[in-house]
Coordinates of all heavy atoms in Angstrom, one line a residue:
M1 N -12.0 4.5 8.4 CA -11.2 3.8 7.5 C -11.5 2.3 7.6 O -11.6 1.7 8.6 CB -9.7 4.0 7.9 CG -8.7 3.3 7.1 SD -7.0 3.8 7.4 CE -6.8 3.7 9.1
R2 N -11.8 1.7 6.4 CA -12.2 0.4 6.3 C -11.0 -0.5 6.0 O -10.2 -0.3 5.1 CB -13.2 0.3 5.2 CG -13.8 -1.1 4.9 CD -14.9 -1.1 3.9 NE -14.5 -0.5 2.6 CZ -14.1 -1.2 1.5 NH1 -14.1 -2.5 1.6 NH2 -13.7 -0.6 0.4
S3 N -10.9 -1.6 6.7 CA -9.8 -2.6 6.5 C -10.0 -3.4 5.2 O -11.2 -3.7 4.9 CB -9.7 -3.5 7.7 OG -9.3 -2.8 8.8
H4 N -9.0 -3.7 4.6 CA -9.0 -4.6 3.4 C -8.2 -5.8 3.7 O -7.0 -5.7 4.1 CB -8.5 -3.8 2.2 CG -8.6 -4.5 0.9 ND1 -9.7 -4.4 0.1 CD2 -7.8 -5.3 0.3 CE1 -9.6 -5.1 -0.9 NE2 -8.4 -5.7 -0.9
I5 N -8.7 -7.0 3.5 CA -8.0 -8.3 3.8 C -7.5 -8.8 2.4 O -8.3 -9.0 1.5 CB -8.9 -9.3 4.5 CG1 -9.5 -8.7 5.8 CG2 -8.1 -10.6 4.7 CD1 -8.4 -8.3 6.8
Y6 N -6.3 -9.1 2.4 CA -5.7 -9.7 1.1 C -4.6 -10.7 1.5 O -3.6 -10.4 2.2 CB -5.0 -8.5 0.3 CG -4.4 -9.0 -1.0 CD1 -5.2 -9.3 -2.0 CD2 -3.0 -9.0 -1.1 CE1 -4.6 -9.7 -3.2 CE2 -2.4 -9.4 -2.3 CZ -3.2 -9.8 -3.4 OH -2.6 -10.1 -4.5
R7 N -4.8 -12.0 1.1 CA -3.9 -13.1 1.3 C -3.3 -13.1 2.7 O -2.1 -13.3 2.9 CB -2.8 -13.0 0.3 CG -3.3 -13.2 -1.1 CD -2.2 -13.3 -2.1 NE -2.8 -13.7 -3.4 CZ -2.2 -13.6 -4.5 NH1 -0.9 -13.2 -4.6 NH2 -2.7 -14.0 -5.6
G8 N -4.1 -13.0 3.7 CA -3.7 -13.1 5.1 C -3.1 -11.9 5.7 O -2.5 -11.9 6.7
F9 N -3.3 -10.7 5.0 CA -2.8 -9.5 5.5 C -4.0 -8.5 5.6 O -4.9 -8.5 4.7 CB -1.8 -8.9 4.6 CG -0.5 -9.6 4.6 CD1 -0.3 -10.7 3.8 CD2 0.6 -9.2 5.4 CE1 0.9 -11.4 3.9 CE2 1.8 -9.8 5.4 CZ 2.0 -11.0 4.7
E10 N -4.0 -7.7 6.7 CA -4.9 -6.6 6.8 C -4.3 -5.3 6.3 O -3.2 -4.9 6.8 CB -5.3 -6.5 8.3 CG -6.3 -5.3 8.5 CD -6.5 -5.2 10.0 OE1 -5.5 -5.1 10.8 OE2 -7.7 -5.1 10.4
I11 N -4.9 -4.6 5.4 CA -4.4 -3.4 4.8 C -5.3 -2.2 5.1 O -6.5 -2.3 4.9 CB -4.3 -3.6 3.2 CG1 -3.3 -4.7 2.9 CG2 -3.8 -2.3 2.6 CD1 -3.4 -5.1 1.4
N12 N -4.7 -1.2 5.6 CA -5.5 0.1 5.9 C -4.7 1.2 5.2 O -3.5 1.3 5.3 CB -5.6 0.3 7.4 CG -6.5 -0.6 8.0 OD1 -7.7 -0.6 7.8 ND2 -6.0 -1.4 8.9
C13 N -5.5 2.1 4.5 CA -4.9 3.2 3.8 C -5.8 4.4 4.2 O -7.0 4.4 4.0 CB -4.9 3.0 2.3 SG -4.1 4.4 1.4
A14 N -5.1 5.5 4.6 CA -5.8 6.8 4.9 C -5.2 7.9 4.0 O -3.9 8.0 4.0 CB -5.7 7.1 6.3
V15 N -6.0 8.6 3.3 CA -5.5 9.7 2.5 C -5.3 10.9 3.5 O -6.3 11.4 4.2 CB -6.6 10.1 1.4 CG1 -6.1 11.3 0.7 CG2 -6.8 8.9 0.5
A16 N -4.1 11.4 3.6 CA -3.7 12.4 4.6 C -3.9 13.8 4.1 O -4.4 14.6 4.9 CB -2.3 12.1 5.1
K17 N -3.5 14.1 2.9 CA -3.6 15.4 2.4 C -3.4 15.4 0.9 O -2.9 14.5 0.3 CB -2.6 16.4 3.0 CG -1.2 16.1 2.7 CD -0.2 17.0 3.3 CE 1.2 16.7 3.0 NZ 2.2 17.6 3.5
A18 N -3.8 16.5 0.3 CA -3.7 16.6 -1.2 C -3.0 18.0 -1.5 O -3.3 19.0 -0.8 CB -5.0 16.5 -1.9
E19 N -2.2 18.0 -2.5 CA -1.6 19.2 -3.0 C -2.3 19.4 -4.4 O -2.2 18.5 -5.2 CB -0.1 19.1 -3.2 CG 0.6 18.9 -1.9 CD 2.1 18.6 -2.1 OE1 2.6 18.8 -3.2 OE2 2.7 18.1 -1.2
T20 N -3.0 20.5 -4.5 CA -3.6 20.7 -5.8 C -2.6 20.9 -6.9 O -1.6 21.5 -6.7 CB -4.6 22.0 -5.7 OG1 -3.8 23.1 -5.3 CG2 -5.7 21.7 -4.8
G21 N -3.0 20.4 -8.0 CA -2.1 20.5 -9.2 C -2.9 20.2 -10.4 O -4.1 20.0 -10.4
K22 N -2.3 20.3 -11.5 CA -3.0 20.1 -12.8 C -2.4 18.9 -13.5 O -1.2 18.8 -13.5 CB -2.9 21.3 -13.7 CG -3.6 22.5 -13.1 CD -3.4 23.7 -14.0 CE -4.0 25.0 -13.3 NZ -3.8 26.2 -14.1
P23 N -3.1 18.0 -14.0 CA -4.6 17.9 -14.0 C -5.2 17.2 -12.8 O -6.4 17.0 -12.7 CB -4.9 17.2 -15.3 CG -3.8 16.3 -15.5 CD -2.6 17.0 -14.9
S24 N -4.3 16.6 -12.0 CA -4.8 15.8 -10.9 C -4.2 16.4 -9.6 O -3.5 17.4 -9.6 CB -4.4 14.3 -11.0 OG -3.0 14.2 -11.1
A25 N -4.4 15.7 -8.5 CA -3.9 16.2 -7.2 C -2.8 15.2 -6.7 O -2.9 14.0 -7.0 CB -5.0 16.3 -6.2
R26 N -1.9 15.7 -6.0 CA -0.8 14.8 -5.4 C -1.3 14.5 -3.9 O -1.5 15.4 -3.1 CB 0.5 15.6 -5.3 CG 1.6 14.8 -4.8 CD 2.2 14.0 -6.0 NE 3.4 13.3 -5.5 CZ 3.9 12.3 -6.1 NH1 3.3 11.8 -7.2 NH2 5.0 11.7 -5.7
W27 N -1.5 13.2 -3.6 CA -2.0 12.8 -2.3 C -0.9 12.2 -1.5 O 0.0 11.4 -2.0 CB -3.1 11.8 -2.6 CG -4.2 12.3 -3.3 CD1 -4.4 12.2 -4.7 CD2 -5.4 13.0 -2.8 NE1 -5.6 12.9 -5.1 CE2 -6.2 13.4 -3.9 CE3 -5.8 13.4 -1.6 CZ2 -7.4 14.0 -3.8 CZ3 -7.0 14.1 -1.4 CH2 -7.7 14.4 -2.5
H28 N -0.9 12.4 -0.2 CA 0.0 11.8 0.7 C -0.9 10.8 1.6 O -1.8 11.2 2.2 CB 0.6 12.9 1.6 CG 1.5 12.3 2.7 ND1 2.8 12.0 2.4 CD2 1.3 11.9 3.9 CE1 3.3 11.5 3.5 NE2 2.4 11.4 4.5
C29 N -0.5 9.6 1.5 CA -1.3 8.5 2.2 C -0.5 7.8 3.2 O 0.7 7.7 3.1 CB -1.8 7.5 1.2 SG -2.8 8.2 -0.2
T30 N -1.1 7.4 4.3 CA -0.5 6.6 5.3 C -1.1 5.2 5.1 O -2.3 5.0 4.9 CB -0.7 7.1 6.7 OG1 -2.1 7.2 7.0 CG2 0.0 8.4 6.9
L31 N -0.2 4.2 5.2 CA -0.6 2.8 5.0 C -0.1 1.9 6.1 O 1.0 2.1 6.5 CB 0.0 2.4 3.6 CG -0.2 1.0 3.1 CD1 -1.6 0.7 2.8 CD2 0.7 0.8 1.9
T32 N -0.9 1.0 6.5 CA -0.5 -0.1 7.4 C -0.8 -1.4 6.8 O -1.8 -1.6 6.2 CB -1.1 0.0 8.8 OG1 -2.6 -0.1 8.7 CG2 -0.8 1.3 9.5
I33 N 0.2 -2.3 7.0 CA 0.0 -3.7 6.5 C 0.4 -4.6 7.7 O 1.5 -4.5 8.2 CB 1.0 -4.0 5.3 CG1 0.7 -3.0 4.1 CG2 0.8 -5.4 4.8 CD1 1.6 -3.2 3.0
R34 N -0.6 -5.5 8.0 CA -0.4 -6.4 9.2 C -0.7 -7.8 8.8 O -1.8 -8.0 8.3 CB -1.2 -5.9 10.3 CG -1.1 -6.8 11.6 CD -2.0 -6.3 12.7 NE -3.4 -6.6 12.4 CZ -4.0 -7.7 12.7 NH1 -3.3 -8.7 13.3 NH2 -5.3 -7.9 12.4
A35 N 0.2 -8.7 9.0 CA -0.2 -10.1 8.8 C -1.2 -10.5 9.9 O -1.1 -10.0 11.1 CB 1.1 -11.0 9.0
L36 N -2.2 -11.2 9.6 CA -3.3 -11.5 10.5 C -2.8 -12.3 11.7 O -3.4 -12.2 12.8 CB -4.4 -12.3 9.8 CG -5.1 -11.5 8.7 CD1 -6.2 -12.4 8.0 CD2 -5.8 -10.3 9.3
D37 N -1.7 -12.9 11.6 CA -1.1 -13.7 12.8 C -0.1 -12.8 13.6 O 0.5 -13.4 14.5 CB -0.6 -15.0 12.4 CG 0.6 -14.9 11.4 OD1 0.8 -13.7 10.9 OD2 1.3 -15.9 11.1
Q38 N 0.1 -11.6 13.3 CA 1.0 -10.7 13.9 C 0.3 -9.6 14.7 O -0.7 -9.1 14.2 CB 2.0 -10.1 12.9 CG 2.9 -11.1 12.2 CD 3.8 -11.8 13.1 OE1 4.4 -11.2 14.0 NE2 3.9 -13.1 12.9
P39 N 0.8 -9.2 15.8 CA 0.1 -8.1 16.6 C 0.4 -6.7 16.1 O -0.5 -5.9 16.1 CB 0.7 -8.3 18.0 CG 2.0 -8.9 17.8 CD 1.9 -9.8 16.6
E40 N 1.6 -6.5 15.5 CA 1.9 -5.1 15.1 C 2.0 -5.0 13.6 O 2.6 -5.8 12.9 CB 3.3 -4.7 15.7 CG 3.3 -4.6 17.2 CD 2.4 -3.5 17.7 OE1 2.4 -2.4 17.1 OE2 1.7 -3.7 18.7
P41 N 1.4 -3.9 13.1 CA 1.5 -3.6 11.6 C 2.8 -2.9 11.3 O 3.4 -2.3 12.1 CB 0.3 -2.7 11.4 CG 0.1 -2.0 12.7 CD 0.5 -2.9 13.8
L42 N 3.1 -3.0 10.0 CA 4.2 -2.2 9.4 C 3.5 -0.9 8.9 O 2.5 -0.9 8.3 CB 4.9 -2.9 8.3 CG 5.6 -4.2 8.7 CD1 6.2 -4.9 7.5 CD2 6.7 -3.9 9.7
H43 N 4.2 0.2 9.1 CA 3.7 1.5 8.7 C 4.5 2.0 7.5 O 5.7 2.0 7.5 CB 3.7 2.5 9.8 CG 2.9 2.1 11.0 ND1 1.6 2.3 11.2 CD2 3.3 1.4 12.1 CE1 1.2 1.8 12.3 NE2 2.2 1.3 12.9
Y44 N 3.7 2.6 6.5 CA 4.3 3.1 5.3 C 3.7 4.4 4.9 O 2.6 4.7 5.4 CB 4.2 2.2 4.1 CG 4.8 0.8 4.3 CD1 4.1 -0.2 4.8 CD2 6.1 0.6 3.9 CE1 4.7 -1.5 5.0 CE2 6.7 -0.6 4.0 CZ 6.0 -1.7 4.6 OH 6.6 -2.9 4.7
E45 N 4.4 5.2 4.1 CA 3.9 6.4 3.6 C 4.0 6.3 2.1 O 5.0 5.7 1.6 CB 4.6 7.6 4.1 CG 4.5 7.9 5.5 CD 5.3 9.1 6.0 OE1 6.1 9.6 5.3 OE2 5.0 9.5 7.2
I46 N 3.1 6.9 1.3 CA 3.2 6.9 -0.1 C 2.6 8.2 -0.7 O 1.6 8.7 -0.1 CB 2.4 5.6 -0.7 CG1 2.5 5.5 -2.2 CG2 0.9 5.7 -0.3 CD1 2.0 4.2 -2.7
E47 N 3.2 8.7 -1.7 CA 2.6 9.8 -2.4 C 2.3 9.4 -3.8 O 3.1 8.7 -4.5 CB 3.7 11.0 -2.4 CG 3.9 11.6 -1.0 CD 4.8 12.8 -1.0 OE1 5.1 13.3 -2.1 OE2 5.2 13.2 0.0
L48 N 1.1 9.8 -4.3 CA 0.7 9.4 -5.6 C -0.2 10.5 -6.2 O -0.7 11.3 -5.5 CB 0.0 8.1 -5.5 CG -1.0 7.8 -4.4 CD1 -2.4 8.2 -4.8 CD2 -1.0 6.4 -4.1
N49 N -0.5 10.4 -7.5 CA -1.4 11.3 -8.2 C -2.7 10.6 -8.4 O -2.7 9.4 -8.9 CB -0.8 11.7 -9.6 CG 0.4 12.6 -9.4 OD1 0.4 13.4 -8.5 ND2 1.3 12.5 -10.3
A50 N -3.8 11.2 -8.1 CA -5.1 10.7 -8.4 C -6.1 11.9 -8.5 O -5.8 13.0 -8.0 CB -5.5 9.7 -7.3
W51 N -7.3 11.6 -9.1 CA -8.3 12.7 -9.2 C -9.0 13.0 -7.9 O -9.4 14.1 -7.6 CB -9.2 12.3 -10.3 CG -8.7 12.4 -11.7 CD1 -8.2 11.3 -12.4 CD2 -8.4 13.5 -12.5 NE1 -7.7 11.7 -13.6 CE2 -7.8 13.1 -13.7 CE3 -8.7 14.9 -12.3 CZ2 -7.5 14.0 -14.7 CZ3 -8.3 15.7 -13.3 CH2 -7.7 15.3 -14.5
T52 N -9.3 11.9 -7.2 CA -10.1 12.0 -6.0 C -9.5 11.3 -4.8 O -8.6 10.4 -5.0 CB -11.5 11.4 -6.2 OG1 -11.3 10.0 -6.4 CG2 -12.2 12.0 -7.4
P53 N -9.9 11.5 -3.6 CA -9.4 10.8 -2.4 C -9.7 9.3 -2.6 O -8.9 8.4 -2.2 CB -10.2 11.4 -1.2 CG -10.7 12.7 -1.7 CD -10.8 12.6 -3.1
A54 N -10.9 8.9 -3.1 CA -11.2 7.5 -3.3 C -10.3 6.9 -4.3 O -9.9 5.7 -4.1 CB -12.7 7.4 -3.8
G55 N -10.0 7.6 -5.4 CA -9.0 7.1 -6.3 C -7.6 6.9 -5.7 O -6.9 5.9 -6.0
A56 N -7.2 7.8 -4.9 CA -5.9 7.7 -4.2 C -5.9 6.5 -3.3 O -4.9 5.7 -3.3 CB -5.6 9.0 -3.4
R57 N -7.0 6.3 -2.6 CA -7.1 5.1 -1.7 C -7.0 3.8 -2.5 O -6.3 2.9 -2.1 CB -8.3 5.2 -0.8 CG -8.4 4.0 0.2 CD -9.7 4.1 1.1 NE -9.6 3.1 2.1 CZ -9.9 1.8 1.9 NH1 -10.3 1.4 0.7 NH2 -9.8 1.0 2.9
S58 N -7.7 3.8 -3.6 CA -7.7 2.6 -4.4 C -6.3 2.3 -4.9 O -5.9 1.1 -4.9 CB -8.7 2.8 -5.5 OG -8.7 1.7 -6.4
L59 N -5.7 3.3 -5.4 CA -4.3 3.1 -5.9 C -3.4 2.7 -4.8 O -2.5 1.8 -5.0 CB -3.8 4.4 -6.6 CG -2.5 4.3 -7.4 CD1 -2.6 3.2 -8.4 CD2 -2.3 5.6 -8.0
C60 N -3.5 3.2 -3.6 CA -2.7 2.9 -2.4 C -2.9 1.4 -2.1 O -1.9 0.7 -1.8 CB -3.1 3.8 -1.3 SG -2.1 3.6 0.2
I61 N -4.2 0.9 -2.1 CA -4.5 -0.5 -1.8 C -3.8 -1.4 -2.9 O -3.3 -2.4 -2.5 CB -6.0 -0.7 -1.8 CG1 -6.6 0.0 -0.6 CG2 -6.3 -2.2 -1.7 CD1 -6.2 -0.5 0.8
Q62 N -3.8 -1.0 -4.1 CA -3.1 -1.7 -5.2 C -1.7 -1.9 -4.9 O -1.1 -2.9 -5.1 CB -3.3 -1.0 -6.6 CG -4.6 -1.4 -7.3 CD -4.6 -0.7 -8.6 OE1 -4.5 0.5 -8.8 NE2 -4.7 -1.6 -9.6
Y63 N -1.0 -0.8 -4.5 CA 0.4 -0.8 -4.2 C 0.7 -1.7 -3.0 O 1.7 -2.5 -3.0 CB 1.0 0.6 -3.9 CG 1.2 1.4 -5.2 CD1 0.7 2.7 -5.3 CD2 1.9 0.9 -6.3 CE1 0.9 3.4 -6.4 CE2 2.2 1.6 -7.4 CZ 1.7 2.9 -7.5 OH 1.9 3.6 -8.6
A64 N -0.2 -1.7 -2.0 CA -0.1 -2.6 -0.8 C -0.2 -4.0 -1.2 O 0.6 -4.9 -0.8 CB -1.1 -2.2 0.2
K65 N -1.1 -4.4 -2.1 CA -1.2 -5.8 -2.6 C 0.0 -6.2 -3.3 O 0.5 -7.3 -3.1 CB -2.5 -5.9 -3.5 CG -3.8 -5.8 -2.8 CD -4.9 -5.9 -3.8 CE -6.3 -5.9 -3.1 NZ -7.4 -6.0 -4.1
Q66 N 0.6 -5.3 -4.1 CA 1.8 -5.6 -4.9 C 2.9 -5.8 -3.9 O 3.7 -6.8 -4.0 CB 2.1 -4.4 -5.8 CG 3.5 -4.6 -6.5 CD 3.8 -3.4 -7.4 OE1 2.9 -2.6 -7.7 NE2 5.0 -3.2 -7.7
H67 N 3.0 -5.0 -2.8 CA 4.0 -5.1 -1.8 C 3.9 -6.5 -1.1 O 4.9 -7.2 -0.8 CB 3.9 -4.0 -0.8 CG 5.0 -4.0 0.2 ND1 6.3 -3.7 0.0 CD2 4.9 -4.3 1.5 CE1 7.0 -3.8 1.1 NE2 6.1 -4.2 2.1
V68 N 2.7 -6.9 -0.8 CA 2.4 -8.2 -0.1 C 2.9 -9.3 -1.0 O 3.6 -10.2 -0.6 CB 0.9 -8.4 0.2 CG1 0.6 -9.8 0.6 CG2 0.6 -7.5 1.4
D69 N 2.6 -9.2 -2.3 CA 3.0 -10.3 -3.3 C 4.5 -10.3 -3.4 O 5.1 -11.4 -3.4 CB 2.4 -10.0 -4.6 CG 0.9 -10.3 -4.7 OD1 0.4 -10.9 -3.8 OD2 0.2 -9.8 -5.6
E70 N 5.2 -9.2 -3.4 CA 6.6 -9.2 -3.5 C 7.3 -9.7 -2.3 O 8.3 -10.3 -2.3 CB 7.1 -7.7 -3.9 CG 6.7 -7.3 -5.3 CD 7.0 -5.8 -5.5 OE1 7.5 -5.1 -4.6 OE2 6.8 -5.4 -6.6
S71 N 6.8 -9.3 -1.1 CA 7.4 -9.7 0.1 C 7.2 -11.2 0.5 O 8.1 -11.8 1.1 CB 6.9 -8.8 1.3 OG 5.5 -9.1 1.5
T72 N 6.1 -11.8 0.0 CA 5.9 -13.2 0.3 C 6.5 -14.1 -0.7 O 6.8 -15.3 -0.5 CB 4.4 -13.5 0.5 OG1 3.7 -13.1 -0.7 CG2 3.8 -12.8 1.7
G73 N 6.8 -13.6 -1.9 CA 7.4 -14.4 -3.0 C 6.5 -15.2 -3.7 O 5.4 -15.6 -3.3
P74 N 6.8 -15.5 -5.0 CA 5.9 -16.3 -5.9 C 5.7 -17.7 -5.5 O 4.7 -18.3 -5.9 CB 6.6 -16.2 -7.3 CG 8.0 -15.9 -6.9 CD 8.0 -15.1 -5.7
E75 N 6.6 -18.3 -4.7 CA 6.5 -19.7 -4.3 C 5.3 -19.9 -3.4 O 4.8 -21.0 -3.3 CB 7.8 -20.2 -3.6 CG 8.1 -19.5 -2.3 CD 8.8 -18.2 -2.4 OE1 9.1 -17.8 -3.5 OE2 9.1 -17.6 -1.4
H76 N 4.8 -18.8 -2.8 CA 3.6 -19.0 -1.9 C 2.3 -19.0 -2.8 O 1.2 -19.3 -2.3 CB 3.5 -17.8 -0.9 CG 4.5 -18.0 0.2 ND1 5.8 -17.6 0.0 CD2 4.5 -18.6 1.4 CE1 6.5 -17.8 1.1 NE2 5.7 -18.5 2.0
Y77 N 2.4 -18.5 -4.0 CA 1.2 -18.4 -4.8 C 1.5 -19.1 -6.2 O 1.9 -18.4 -7.1 CB 0.8 -17.0 -5.0 CG 0.6 -16.3 -3.7 CD1 1.6 -15.3 -3.3 CD2 -0.4 -16.6 -2.8 CE1 1.5 -14.7 -2.1 CE2 -0.5 -15.9 -1.6 CZ 0.5 -15.0 -1.2 OH 0.4 -14.4 0.0
P78 N 1.3 -20.4 -6.3 CA 1.7 -21.1 -7.5 C 0.9 -20.6 -8.7 O -0.3 -20.1 -8.6 CB 1.3 -22.6 -7.2 CG 0.9 -22.6 -5.8 CD 0.8 -21.3 -5.3
G79 N 1.5 -20.6 -9.9 CA 0.8 -20.2 -11.1 C 1.0 -18.7 -11.4 O 0.5 -18.3 -12.4
Q80 N 1.6 -18.0 -10.5 CA 1.8 -16.5 -10.8 C 3.2 -16.3 -11.2 O 4.2 -16.8 -10.6 CB 1.5 -15.7 -9.6 CG 0.0 -15.7 -9.3 CD -0.3 -14.8 -8.1 OE1 0.5 -14.3 -7.4 NE2 -1.6 -14.5 -7.9
A81 N 3.4 -15.5 -12.2 CA 4.8 -15.1 -12.6 C 5.4 -14.1 -11.7 O 4.7 -13.2 -11.2 CB 4.7 -14.6 -14.0
A82 N 6.7 -14.2 -11.4 CA 7.3 -13.2 -10.6 C 7.5 -12.0 -11.4 O 7.7 -12.0 -12.6 CB 8.7 -13.8 -10.2
H83 N 7.4 -10.8 -10.8 CA 7.6 -9.6 -11.4 C 8.6 -8.7 -10.7 O 8.8 -8.9 -9.5 CB 6.3 -8.8 -11.6 CG 5.5 -8.8 -10.3 ND1 5.7 -7.9 -9.3 CD2 4.4 -9.5 -9.9 CE1 4.9 -8.1 -8.3 NE2 4.1 -9.1 -8.7
P84 N 9.3 -7.9 -11.4 CA 10.3 -7.1 -10.7 C 9.7 -6.1 -9.7 O 8.6 -5.7 -9.9 CB 11.0 -6.3 -11.8 CG 10.0 -6.3 -12.9 CD 9.2 -7.5 -12.8
S85 N 10.5 -5.8 -8.7 CA 10.0 -4.9 -7.6 C 10.0 -3.4 -8.1 O 11.0 -2.9 -8.6 CB 10.9 -5.0 -6.4 OG 10.5 -4.0 -5.4
C86 N 8.8 -2.8 -8.0 CA 8.7 -1.4 -8.4 C 7.7 -0.7 -7.5 O 7.1 0.3 -7.9 CB 8.3 -1.3 -9.9 SG 6.7 -2.1 -10.3
S87 N 7.6 -1.2 -6.3 CA 6.7 -0.6 -5.3 C 7.2 0.7 -4.8 O 8.3 0.9 -4.4 CB 6.5 -1.6 -4.1 OG 5.7 -0.9 -3.1
P88 N 6.3 1.8 -4.8 CA 6.7 3.1 -4.3 C 6.6 3.2 -2.8 O 6.8 4.3 -2.3 CB 5.8 4.0 -5.0 CG 4.5 3.2 -5.1 CD 5.0 1.8 -5.3
L89 N 6.3 2.1 -2.1 CA 6.1 2.2 -0.6 C 7.5 2.5 0.1 O 8.5 2.0 -0.3 CB 5.6 0.9 -0.1 CG 4.2 0.5 -0.6 CD1 3.7 -0.8 0.1 CD2 3.2 1.6 -0.5
R90 N 7.4 3.3 1.1 CA 8.6 3.5 1.9 C 8.1 3.5 3.4 O 7.1 4.0 3.7 CB 9.3 4.9 1.6 CG 8.4 6.1 1.8 CD 9.2 7.3 1.4 NE 8.5 8.5 1.8 CZ 7.5 9.1 1.1 NH1 7.2 8.5 -0.1 NH2 6.9 10.1 1.5
K91 N 9.0 2.9 4.2 CA 8.6 2.7 5.6 C 8.5 4.1 6.3 O 9.3 5.0 6.0 CB 9.6 1.9 6.4 CG 9.4 0.4 6.1 CD 10.2 -0.4 7.1 CE 9.9 -1.9 6.8 NZ 10.6 -2.7 7.7
K92 N 7.5 4.2 7.1 CA 7.3 5.5 7.8 C 8.5 5.8 8.7 O 9.0 4.9 9.3 CB 6.0 5.4 8.6 CG 5.5 6.7 9.1 CD 4.1 6.6 9.7 CE 3.6 7.9 10.1 NZ 2.2 7.8 10.6
G93 N 8.9 7.0 8.7 CA 10.1 7.4 9.5 C 11.3 7.4 8.7 O 12.4 7.6 9.3
G94 N 11.3 7.2 7.4 CA 12.4 7.3 6.6 C 13.3 6.0 6.6 O 14.4 6.0 6.0
Q95 N 12.9 5.0 7.3 CA 13.7 3.7 7.3 C 13.3 2.9 6.0 O 12.2 2.9 5.6 CB 13.3 2.9 8.5 CG 13.7 3.6 9.8 CD 13.2 2.8 11.0 OE1 12.5 1.8 10.8 NE2 13.5 3.3 12.2
H96 N 14.3 2.2 5.5 CA 14.0 1.4 4.3 C 14.2 0.0 4.6 O 14.9 -0.5 5.2 CB 15.0 1.8 3.1 CG 14.8 3.2 2.7 ND1 13.8 3.5 1.8 CD2 15.5 4.3 3.0 CE1 13.9 4.8 1.6 NE2 14.9 5.3 2.3

């Protein structure tokens, strides 16, 4: 699993399993997001539809970036419009 660095956060996504379906597969992914200045990452789980494991990982990374943007707020990134929260991420273990 290759780490992805985005705005001071390390993002890792692993595709855990797929349920076959038509026309795509339902993937269960595990995701960790860690601020580079913090020792412990936050763990999340996400389920999504994609054609391939690589597509699922790419979509998972997109959701992680959106989550980082929403959690840090628009004031940290001038010139970007705020958008409503619609991230499908949920903390691992059922905690919200």
Side-chain angles (χ1 to χ4, degrees):
M1 176 168 53
R2 179 175 57 99
S3 295
H4 186 86
I5 304 298
Y6 180 73
R7 294 189 173 168
F9 289 83
E10 177 184 50
I11 299 169
N12 289 296
C13 180
V15 177
K17 66 178 178 178
E19 299 171 15
T20 56
K22 296 179 183 176
S24 61
R26 186 83 174 158
W27 300 92
H28 177 86
C29 304
T30 55
L31 175 70
T32 60
I33 302 174
R34 181 182 70 87
L36 294 177
D37 61 350
Q38 297 294 317
E40 294 295 319
L42 296 175
H43 299 274
Y44 297 92
E45 295 178 348
I46 185 171
E47 290 186 11
L48 45 88
N49 290 326
W51 289 101
T52 64
R57 184 178 186 281
S58 178
L59 190 55
C60 186
I61 295 293
Q62 276 185 301
Y63 283 130
K65 288 178 178 181
Q66 176 183 340
H67 182 75
V68 166
D69 290 344
E70 289 172 358
S71 66
T72 55
E75 64 276 1
H76 288 86
Y77 309 109
Q80 292 185 347
H83 46 79
S85 176
C86 58
S87 174
L89 300 184
R90 63 182 186 276
K91 284 193 176 181
K92 195 170 184 178
Q95 298 172 354
H96 296 282

